[in-house]
Each structure stands twice: as C-alpha cells, then as structure tokens.
Amino acid sequence: MKRSTENNEDSRRGPLGRNAFWLISASLLAAGILLYLFLPGTPEPFHQNMLPLGDHPILTALVAFIPSLILMVLMSLGRMRSINLVLISLGVSLLLALLVWRMPPVLAGHSILFGMTVAVFPLLWALLNAIWIFRLLTDSGHFETLRLSLQRVSPDKRIQTVLVGFGLTALIESIAAFGAPIVLVTSMLIGLGFPPQLAAAVALISDSAPSAWGTQGLPILMLSSVTGLDADRLGSFVGWQTPLMAALLPIGAVIMVSGWKGFKGVWPLPLLAGFSYGLVGVLSSHFLPISITGMAAGLASVGVILIAARLVKPTSIWTFPGQESLEEDRTALPRGEVIRAWSPFIVLVAVMALVNGTGLAKLMSGFGNLSFSWPKLNQAVFSPDPHTGFHVNYPAAYDQNILTAGGTLTLIAGWISAPILGLKPRQVLKSYWGAFKGMLLAGSTIACILGLAYLMNYSGMAASIGLAVSLVSAWALPPLMVVLGFMGCIMSGSVSGGNALFGGASLFAAQRLNLDPHLITGALCSGGTLGKPITPQSLVLAEAAMGHQETDPPHRLISRLVGWVALYAVVMIIIVYIQSLFL
C-alpha cells in the first residue's frame, strides 16, 4: 500500500518531478555548450569536402546516410519516442561531421542551433497557432457540431467515405497535421459503422497527397528553409503534382470501400470531390501563399461534396452487410450552430486572403522584420560549386517577418474566431496553454530534425549525397527524387522530416545536372506524401484509433495500403516526369 501511495505521489508530480535530475543535467549541459559556442573569437574558415573518403562517391553517400538509416531502423522497432530517435540520429550525424567530414566543433554546434532557430520561427510558431485554433473548436464543443453536420448529409457509406474520409481528412491536415487527421477521421468512420481496419485504411490513404501542404504549408516551408529556395515558387511546382494526385484519392477510397460496382453507383461524387480539390489546389498554389493552399483546396472540396451529395442520388443506399436496418439520426441541426462550427476555417482563410491578397502584406512587411547574420557561422563555411567545384561562401543569414508570418495571421484569426465560438478570454488562454503543452514533443522533434538537416548541409554531408545522386542521367533524376522523398518520409516519419533530411542533397543534384531546383526538390516533397500512409507513426496512430475493436492481424492493414501506395507512386512518377519535359 505504501508503494502504491508513493507511485501516486510520483504521478501527481508529473514528468518534471520524475525526471528532475535529467532535466537539470540537460539544462546545465546546454548552458555549457551555448557558453562555449558564443565565446569571443572567429573560427577558422571551413572548406567542405564532398569526398572525405577519397574518390568513392557512392561509399561516401552511404556513410552520410547512416544517421537516416539508424532513424528508420529504430523507428520501425517502435520502442522509443520520436524525440529520442532523432536525438540519437543527431548525435551520430554530429560524430560523422566531426570525424569524417572534419568540421570544426564550434561551426557544427552553430549549424545545429541555426537550424533549431529556424524551426522555432516560423515553423513551430505556425504549428502552435494552428493547433490552438483546432483546440478552440474542440474546447468550445463545436467540433461535435461540425462532425454531425457532415455525418447527417447521407447514410450511404460511399458518400460518407468521400465526405468524411477524404474531404475532412484533407481539411484537418491543413489545420493540424502530425497525425490528427488519421486519429480523428478513423474514429469518426468507425462511429459511422465502418469496419475498424477499413476506416483506418481510408483515413491513411486520404492523408497522403494533402500532407504535402501539412499545417499551413509547413513541409514546403521546411524545404525552403534547408534549400534557400523561394517557398511560394516551390509551392507552385508542388501544386502541379500533389493536387493532381489528390484528385484520384476519393476515387480510390470509394473503390476500396465498396468495390468497382459500388463506385459506379456514385461515380460523379468522388470525381467532383477530387476535381475540385485538384483545381483549387493548382490555382491557389500559383496565386495564393502556400500557407493557405491546402486549406483552400480542402474547404472547396468539402463544399462541393456537400452540394453534390444533394444532387447525386444513388439508386440504392449502400451499407455494410448487417447494417441495412440501422437508422441514421436525421435530426436537423440549427443553421447558426453549423456556421459557428465552421467559422474558424472561414475566418482563417479570410484573414490570410485579406492580408496576402491586398497591399496590406506589403504595408505590414515594413514592420516587424527580423534579419541578422548568424554569429561565427556566416562567412565561415565554404561549399563546392556544383558546376565548377570551386568553393564559394555558404551564407548563414536569418531573415523573417514576424507580422506577416502564417503563424501570426493564424493567431489573429483565432482571436477573431473565439467570441464567435462563445469562448471567454480566460478559456482562450487556457486553450492556448493546452496547445503549447500538446505540441512540445512534436515541436522538439521538428527542432532537432532541422538541427540535423542544417548540420548535414553545413558539414558537406548533404553535398556528398547530392554528388552520388547526380551520377544518374538528367532524365532519371525527377523520378529518383520521388523515390528519395518516399524513403525520407519513411525514415523520418513525416513529409517535413524527409524534406529536411534530403532537401540539401536534392538541391545540389539539381544544380549539378542543370535542372530546375524547384522541380527537383518539389518532386522530393511530393514523393514524401506517398510514404505517409505506411510510416510507423501513421500506423501506430491508426491502431490507437481502432482501439480494441479490431480482430484482424495488423499486417492486414498494411496489405490494404501497399497496392494503392504502389499505384499512386507510379502515377506520381509519371506526373513529375511529364512536368520535367515542359521545363
């Protein structure tokens, strides 16, 4: 009894009480490292060596791949938290940078800190406020209204597959990614009567292509941060790839649920859902900021589905065997409550469109700009030119505008939405604190991945991988980038992580082969979306959402997905290859 009481006391203290020793030790170590890094003095210039192991580019690239391979192997075991896996991979990468690529320790430390700083703002700032907006919706109780408004559109499972399985997944992915669509949509589909594994398969496959935009374009912002390429231009190239791919997802989801015969009974609906997402995705990626692309496409698709579902009347209601007698709750919801439930999405799109679609963004950009050269790292690293091989300065400059960042605009939209949802300031602040605590683990992981990516870039490890990749013919590089993006997503667990790991390598390969770097790095991002349904994290989240309701073995879920992933991979490679022919 005494031991039980002590355990209860320990649990009440929380993680901080249980891990105080390790937290204090880590803080002291971090303080010592920071003190060492920022001591006065200028480090000696560092010239990157793409071939530290001699004239063996393939062997050198394989050594540079070691941290990523360790990350993938440990992740596949599923016994450690993501943050611990990334820290191990970061530690191995640091050792390789110091011992093999001969990078000075001070410059290695500064490159990691530089990457982590970029992660905090604007990436984690956008993620925090996006999660907060979603929490406002759930804490106010209006997410249930939103769910019911979708559920009561039709009792037909094929229509529910398109609306909830595809439409809602794409929309939630644009607001709060990192597994939220998989968990929520899987649970909702199970609640609608879908078999658990089928519900999970629909949610996983529907969360593939839309994950290129993630939380307000986070994967593309991360790709931009590690390559230095313009984020909006990157988005326009990805916009010709993933929206076209996403247009096929509702078709595949309906066939997965009801077979080809069932699909023919409602074929206009998934066709319209996919077409609307693809069309708005392409247009918004070219004319709107990337932070709004996924959201605009998701909202357009849901809106079209809601309208089309009233016009497309199947000859018979399709349900799963044994559910024919189940009656759906058709009680009408108050229109005002439905509008309030959708208000955060509407306000967020309106704020971003107002600021970025008018002269307001230009006016705001004159204020709040934060720009400086990173101490010691800037002007200290010299990287080989992809064409000549001569070393040129690799700058380290931080340049962000606080007021026009997507996270700031989301914060404004959240405060506008809060009174519409009926929340008081105290409740809003409580939701914000909850969002902050909820994103700490994911945020720390992202910061470490960016630190790892910047270390690979500034040490020359990324250039070594890029050199090996560039040995292929120019025509083969775009399809190869799709495969590398797929591998990067599997290794890191997310499209953002894959972009961070191999963005620098893809840029170097593109420059060396005189190909448009936006196309090549964009293909890396699009290829990453294909790995999203079968990453270990995604599968674990799906299994958690299924709970104890599933009786089929876990490998059945993977078998449901592999064929579709392979099919979509072939389609993506064809899309990217055709795109490369016209550039």
Side-chain angles (χ1 to χ4, degrees), residues 221-385:
L221 287 174
M222 189 170 287
L223 185 59
S224 173
S225 73
V226 298
T227 60
L229 299 174
D230 180 71
D232 287 326
R233 183 160 169 75
L234 274 172
S236 66
F237 275 77
V238 176
W240 281 113
Q241 298 165 5
T242 52
L244 297 178
M245 182 75 258
L248 302 177
L249 295 180
I251 298 173
V254 172
I255 294 175
M256 182 188 294
V257 168
S258 62
W260 180 253
K261 184 177 180 181
F263 167 75
K264 290 193 294 184
V266 292
W267 67 267
L269 186 62
L271 223 61
L272 285 170
F275 177 78
S276 60
Y277 185 94
L279 178 62
V280 175
V282 170
L283 293 176
S284 59
S285 68
H286 284 76
F287 301 108
L288 294 175
I290 57 160
S291 58
I292 204 173
T293 298
M295 200 182 318
L299 278 172
S301 183
V302 170
V304 167
I305 298 168
L306 289 172
I307 296 172
R310 297 180 178 275
L311 302 176
V312 178
K313 299 294 184 182
T315 54
S316 61
I317 302 299
W318 194 94
T319 60
F320 296 108
Q323 296 182 2
E324 292 82 358
S325 61
L326 296 179
E327 294 185 4
E328 299 284 333
D329 183 3
R330 309 295 293 166
T331 306
L333 292 170
R335 182 171 297 179
E337 289 299 305
V338 174
I339 294 174
R340 291 173 70 183
W342 285 94
S343 63
F345 304 105
I346 299 170
V347 171
L348 185 54
V349 171
V351 168
M352 290 189 171
L354 175 65
V355 171
N356 294 291
T358 65
L360 194 56
K362 187 176 181 180
L363 178 65
M364 293 171 67
S365 64
F367 306 93
N369 197 63
L370 184 61
S371 179
F372 61 90
S373 297
W374 193 266
K376 295 193 178 182
L377 188 62
N378 192 48
Q379 303 295 327
V381 177
F382 293 82
S383 59
D385 182 270

Side-chain angles (χ1 to χ4, degrees), residues 198-209:
L198 183 58
V202 169
L204 286 164
I205 206 70
S206 297
D207 195 37
S208 55

Side-chain angles (χ1 to χ4, degrees), residues 7-20 23:
N7 288 340
N8 289 337
E9 293 257 345
D10 189 53
S11 65
R12 280 196 293 270
R13 288 192 205 109
L16 185 61
R18 293 194 297 272
N19 301 318
L23 287 171

Side-chain angles (χ1 to χ4, degrees), residues 528-541:
T529 65
L530 301 169
K532 183 71 180 292
I534 54 176
T535 60
Q537 294 101 314
S538 296
L539 294 171
V540 167
L541 288 169

Side-chain angles (χ1 to χ4, degrees), residues 37 57 66 71 119 135 148 169 183 256 276 302 312 315 380 383 435 447 512 517:
L37 290 175
I66 288 176
L71 185 63
R135 281 191 67 100
L148 290 173
T169 297
V183 174
M256 182 188 294
S276 60
V302 170
V312 178
T315 54
S383 59
R512 188 173 173 82

